């Protein structure tokens, strides 16, 4: 079983940066495609970013393109989400997710396509 643990959230002002990390423990998730999702109060969980198993392909929610960067370090069993130029609408609980796959280049954008989930880390952006 894989456990995912997020860290790095916090309260920041508009325009600030945060880097979220998600470490896989238990069994490795190096054979996983990985993703970040977020859920704001009263809203559905939404896709933010995803990275393929081999790290070659990435995909972003339109509203975060150019501001967020997803990356992975398989040696450290960690996926990162670098968030720059934060806006109040980025306020949410952020979750990382993993999907075991044999497909090196594929990415997934739907929450129900992922197997493993972290407990979430809160990001709040104040204006």
């Amino acid at each position: 079983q894989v456990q995912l643990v997020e860290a790095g959230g916090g309260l920041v002002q508009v325009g600030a940066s945060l880097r979220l990390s998600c470490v896989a423990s238990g069994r490795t998730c190096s054979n996983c495609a990985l993703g970040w999702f977020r859920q704001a109060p009263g809203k559905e969980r939404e896709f933010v970013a995803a990275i393929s198993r081999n790290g070659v392909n990435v995909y972003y929610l339109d509203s975060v393109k150019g501001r967020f960067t997803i990356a992975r370090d398989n040696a450290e069993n960690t996926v990162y989400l670098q968030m720059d130029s934060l806006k109040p609408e980025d306020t949410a609980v952020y979750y990382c997710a993993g999907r075991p796959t044999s497909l090196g280049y594929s990415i997934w954008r739907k929450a129900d396509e992922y197997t493993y989930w972290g407990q979430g880390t809160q990001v709040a952006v104040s204006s």
Side-chain angles (χ1 to χ4, degrees):
Q1 187 70 14
V2 174
Q3 290 83 43
L4 301 176
V5 179
E6 302 97 335
L11 172 62
V12 296
Q13 294 189 329
V14 169
S17 297
L18 282 173
R19 188 174 81 153
L20 306 183
S21 62
C22 174
V23 180
S25 62
R27 297 181 62 183
T28 180
C29 209
S30 59
N31 65 336
C32 294
L34 298 166
W36 285 96
F37 292 76
R38 66 187 181 188
Q39 188 166 18
K43 295 189 176 181
E44 298 276 326
R45 187 171 298 192
E46 71 172 349
F47 166 83
V48 176
I51 188 166
S52 59
R53 171 179 169 174
N54 59 15
V56 171
N57 289 332
V58 296
Y59 194 88
Y60 297 96
L61 178 68
D62 282 347
S63 63
V64 308
K65 284 180 182 176
R67 300 189 298 121
F68 289 13
T69 303
I70 188 170
R72 66 188 296 162
D73 183 338
N74 284 346
E76 298 293 329
N77 292 317
T78 302
V79 60
Y80 301 96
L81 186 67
Q82 176 67 41
M83 306 187 296
D84 299 320
S85 302
L86 282 162
K87 303 176 180 180
E89 51 265 42
D90 296 319
T91 295
V93 177
Y94 284 70
Y95 300 89
C96 69
R99 174 191 168 116
T101 179
S102 60
L103 304 176
Y105 291 90
S106 297
I107 55 175
W108 285 267
R109 290 176 284 166
K110 296 180 180 178
D112 61 7
E113 293 173 323
Y114 285 82
T115 303
Y116 305 117
W117 289 88
Q119 83 291 346
T121 185
Q122 176 72 54
V123 171
V125 184
S126 66
S127 55

